């Protein structure tokens, strides 16, 4: 007769990371999840603080957009990365302890040009500038990806999925973007 | 002679973006990567304005503002905070510490330029 012990695992709370979001947590019962086409998700982890974070952004292909709008979107890529890093720092992370993984940047359909590649290049260049090592990446190709990331453990899982996520470029500035207040 | 600005931000990408925006508007830009680095640079530099981030390692923006306001040499130096933070609590803390103004990232080049010109007027 076999003796099996049933182990009750805590219920994992899943939080969907939508385009424009930047989140971080050290909650061991939390899992971030997102589905990416041309978009990029960067997962950051600080193993000493046991805190992880994830964002989800899409930059512009300058061709179909006015240059000012493309510039604006690239600024939001930078903004998304800064929000992510700040969220990590506010939870006790150290900037030089951060390690990254990059996901996404697929070419989902011809009409979208090489937006996916531009997103990949942006993410790699940003992380190189910030001296944040890239531990791994699953990028490019023609398939959508689903990413699950457990921030407290720094564990991520990437699976190709047979869905077409929305590729609409969403400009999602904070409500007070660029506001100036002189005291 | 162009006016000189010291930018303080731990993100090299953000410093690069700021440098591009400010030099385009005719300012001379110096850079520091956090509050400690800024204080060291200010021992030899005499900028017309400091633009500082809040969330930085070693010494954050609040610490930098407080240090500058207690030092006689920089007591009157205008300091603009440029940050992703938008909470009233942090804004009030910066104002009480002696900041001159508060700008929320991502910044608009024209709004930033206009704010700088008003402060330096």
């Amino acid at each position: 007769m076999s003796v099996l012990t049933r182990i009750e695992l805590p219920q994992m709370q899943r939080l969907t990371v939508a385009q424009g979001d930047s989140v971080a947590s050290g909650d061991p019962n939390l899992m971030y999840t997102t589905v990416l086409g041309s978009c990029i998700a960067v997962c950051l982890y600080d193993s000493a603080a046991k805190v992880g974070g994830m964002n989800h952004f899409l930059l512009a292909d300058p061709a179909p957009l006015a240059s000012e709008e493309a510039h604006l979107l690239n600024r939001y890529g930078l903004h998304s990365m800064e929000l992510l890093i700040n969220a990590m720092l506010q939870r006790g992370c150290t900037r030089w302890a951060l390690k990254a993984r990059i996901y996404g940047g697929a070419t989902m359909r011809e009409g979208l040009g090489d937006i996916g590649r531009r997103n990949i290049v942006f993410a790699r260049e940003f992380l190189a500038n910030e001296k944040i090592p890239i531990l791994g990446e699953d990028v490019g190709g023609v398939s959508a990806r689903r990413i699950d990331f457990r921030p407290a453990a720094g564990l991520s899982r990437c699976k190709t999925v047979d869905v077409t996520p929305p590729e609409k470029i969403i400009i999602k500035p904070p409500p007070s973007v660029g506001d100036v207040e002189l005291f | 002679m162009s006016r000189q600005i010291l930018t303080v931000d731990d993100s090299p990408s953000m410093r690069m973006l700021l440098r591009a925006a400010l030099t385009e508007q005719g300012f001379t830009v110096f850079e520091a990567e956090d509050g400690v680095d800024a204080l060291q640079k200010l021992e030899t530099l005499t900028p017309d304005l400091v633009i500082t981030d809040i969330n930085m390692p070693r010494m954050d923006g609040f610490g930098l503002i407080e240090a500058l306001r207690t030092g006689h040499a920089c007591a009157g130096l205008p300091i603009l905070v440029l940050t992703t933070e938008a909470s009233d609590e942090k804004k009030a803390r910066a104002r009480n510490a002696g900041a001159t103004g508060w700008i929320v990232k991502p910044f608009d080049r024209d709004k930033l330029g206009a704010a700088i010109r008003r402060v330096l007027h």
Side-chain angles (χ1 to χ4, degrees), chain A residues 7-148:
Chain A
I7 300 171
E8 290 291 336
L9 292 173
Q11 185 71 33
M12 190 67 75
Q13 185 197 350
R14 299 178 73 90
L15 182 71
T16 300
V17 180
Q19 189 181 323
D21 287 347
S22 297
V23 289
S25 176
D27 183 348
N29 299 320
L30 181 65
M31 178 182 285
Y32 293 134
T33 185
T34 196
V35 176
L36 306 165
S38 304
C39 290
I40 287 280
V42 174
C43 297
L44 294 181
Y45 186 62
D46 179 335
S47 58
K50 296 195 187 320
V51 169
M54 182 193 243
N55 67 357
H56 177 164
F57 62 87
L58 179 64
L59 304 184
D61 178 355
L65 294 168
S67 61
E68 186 58 30
E69 194 175 2
H71 174 71
L72 191 68
L73 283 159
N74 281 289
R75 272 199 306 143
Y76 287 131
L78 187 66
H79 184 62
S80 172
M81 288 305 306
E82 186 170 25
L83 286 177
L84 176 59
I85 293 171
N86 283 347
M88 301 282 292
L89 298 183
Q90 284 165 3
R91 285 161 181 79
C93 297
T94 309
R95 175 177 261 276
W96 35 85
L98 300 178
K99 307 277 192 301
R101 292 180 188 276
I102 308 174
Y103 299 102
T107 302
M108 296 303 293
R109 49 182 188 269
E110 286 183 11
L112 283 170
D114 59 356
I115 289 179
R117 189 185 62 80
R118 288 175 195 275
N119 280 283
I120 297 165
V121 169
F122 169 85
R124 285 176 180 159
E125 285 184 352
F126 176 89
L127 292 166
N129 281 339
E130 303 292 325
K131 296 183 173 56
I132 297 174
I134 300 171
L135 294 187
E137 55 180 40
D138 189 331
V139 296
V142 294
S143 299
R145 293 173 171 85
R146 177 176 154 164
I147 315 300
D148 293 322

